[in-house]
Amino acid sequence: MQSKEATLCIRGRLLELTRPKVMGILNLSEDSFYQSSISNTIDSAIGKVSIMIKEGMDILDLGPMSSRPGAKLVPTDHEAGLIQKFLVPIKNAFPELITSLDVFRLESIQIGIDLGVDIINDITGSHQCQDVFKSIHDAGLAYILMHSRGAFGNFHHADQKHYKHTSTDVIRELAIALDKAMQTGLQSIIIDPGFGFSKTIDQNFELLGQLECFCILERPLLVGLSRKSMIYTTCKSDQNQVLGGTLAAQTIALIKGANILRTHDVKEAVQCIDIVEKMKSVQSGI
């Protein structure tokens, strides 16, 4: 079952979500947990984006700061510099491409808004302040509200991972944040359960197994499962060797209603969508 919200308005443009979309990842921080996703030059970034577009990417997600376990909070001016360095040439090279910015501080969000980004992807969405929601609403952007607990630097601490019932608690905490965001007028909101943030491996898989429950929030659902520790730990491997495990998890997510796959591997994610959509179309005709 997919979200009832089949269309998303972004800066006056409509993004149709009847068929799931692919969000490709481009990391600008050398501290990223998956080195193949990093670009540190404009030419490298443009090249990678061009390839992902040819492979079927619908949305580009730019990450100027790593949020992996143990990552350090970088100075705001450093993050701002990376946004300015890469976002402008990417927008100029691919003016029709929908761009997302993986940031959570108001200063960085405002820079992204001023430079024409379309979506703010916020890892602190479930406990963000209303000033952020209002700025995004006023600019006409879409917003990815991700579940996490705590602040940057302790998302992954054990004391953030206590739940009475994982799925119920995560949905409840997202619902509270969703209501707070909507009070500012913000409507174009995508929900992200926050795989890997403030959850144990088993809790991540519990969320994946009950992903269809998130349709109660009546918002598009994004999942970020690509090459994460829940995958490579379960597969007894590392992030470089778990494309198969990632695709298995993404396929489950699609069957259970995911609208957007955030991934390092665009071509393969598109193939996942092709297969699941074909299955659904055949089943609907039986």
Side-chain angles (χ1 to χ4, degrees), residues 61-74:
D61 192 42
L62 292 168
M65 181 169 63
S66 175
S67 56
R68 66 168 181 79
K72 303 298 183 184
L73 187 68
V74 302

Side-chain angles (χ1 to χ4, degrees), residues 17-91:
L17 291 169
T18 303
R19 173 186 165 91
K21 304 302 183 189
V22 174
M23 173 184 276
I25 300 169
L26 184 69
N27 285 313
L28 311 177
S29 168
E30 296 286 351
D31 196 30
S32 171
F33 82 97
Y34 183 53
Q35 293 294 304
S36 295
S37 68
I38 298 172
S39 284
N40 51 22
T41 68
I42 301 299
D43 287 345
S44 170
I46 296 294
K48 286 184 178 180
V49 174
S50 179
I51 290 170
M52 288 193 285
I53 290 173
K54 290 176 182 177
E55 291 177 339
M57 176 177 68
D58 302 289
I59 305 165
L60 173 69
D61 192 42
L62 292 168
M65 181 169 63
S66 175
S67 56
R68 66 168 181 79
K72 303 298 183 184
L73 187 68
V74 302
T76 305
D77 59 349
H78 176 76
E79 185 173 56
L82 286 175
I83 295 169
Q84 292 170 330
K85 177 181 176 180
F86 287 93
L87 180 58
V88 173
I90 288 172
K91 294 289 290 186

Side-chain angles (χ1 to χ4, degrees), residues 84-101:
Q84 292 170 330
K85 177 181 176 180
F86 287 93
L87 180 58
V88 173
I90 288 172
K91 294 289 290 186
N92 289 339
F94 310 101
E96 298 302 313
L97 178 62
I98 297 172
T99 52
S100 167
L101 196 56

Side-chain angles (χ1 to χ4, degrees), residues 46-241:
I46 296 294
K48 286 184 178 180
V49 174
S50 179
I51 290 170
M52 288 193 285
I53 290 173
K54 290 176 182 177
E55 291 177 339
M57 176 177 68
D58 302 289
I59 305 165
L60 173 69
D61 192 42
L62 292 168
M65 181 169 63
S66 175
S67 56
R68 66 168 181 79
K72 303 298 183 184
L73 187 68
V74 302
T76 305
D77 59 349
H78 176 76
E79 185 173 56
L82 286 175
I83 295 169
Q84 292 170 330
K85 177 181 176 180
F86 287 93
L87 180 58
V88 173
I90 288 172
K91 294 289 290 186
N92 289 339
F94 310 101
E96 298 302 313
L97 178 62
I98 297 172
T99 52
S100 167
L101 196 56
D102 186 358
V103 292
F104 61 88
R105 291 179 288 193
L106 184 56
E107 300 92 331
S108 298
I109 290 171
Q110 191 59 55
I111 290 169
I113 290 171
D114 294 342
L115 296 178
V117 79
D118 302 294
I119 302 171
I120 297 298
N121 181 11
D122 187 354
I123 60 174
T124 69
S126 55
H127 42 95
Q128 187 58 271
C129 69
Q130 284 191 308
D131 287 345
V132 166
F133 298 141
K134 188 174 188 309
S135 293
I136 294 167
H137 166 258
D138 290 347
L141 275 65
Y143 179 71
I144 299 171
L145 192 165
M146 195 196 84
H147 177 271
S148 63
R149 287 177 168 179
F152 190 95
N154 70 353
F155 294 136
H156 307 288
H157 288 185
D159 57 0
Q160 305 293 353
K161 301 177 182 180
H162 298 297
Y163 299 88
K164 184 175 181 180
H165 186 282
T166 308
S167 297
T168 302
D169 290 353
V170 170
I171 290 171
R172 176 179 53 80
E173 291 169 21
L174 283 172
I176 292 169
L178 179 61
D179 181 67
K180 184 166 69 170
M182 291 175 64
Q183 286 176 20
T184 68
L186 183 58
Q187 292 291 327
S188 293
I189 302 172
I190 301 161
I191 294 298
D192 180 351
F195 289 102
F197 287 80
S198 313
K199 290 126 189 139
T200 66
I201 290 174
D202 285 356
Q203 287 165 350
N204 284 314
F205 278 99
E206 181 184 339
L207 285 179
L208 181 59
Q210 298 179 351
L211 203 61
E212 68 275 11
C213 298
F214 285 80
C215 71
I216 196 172
L217 297 173
E218 297 188 347
R219 285 293 181 278
L221 181 63
L222 178 147
V223 295
L225 295 158
S226 184
R227 298 181 181 270
K228 286 191 172 178
S229 61
M230 63 179 281
I231 308 291
Y232 64 75
T233 301
T234 300
C235 295
K236 298 179 175 60
S237 188
D238 61 48
Q239 60 267 39
N240 299 304
Q241 305 296 326

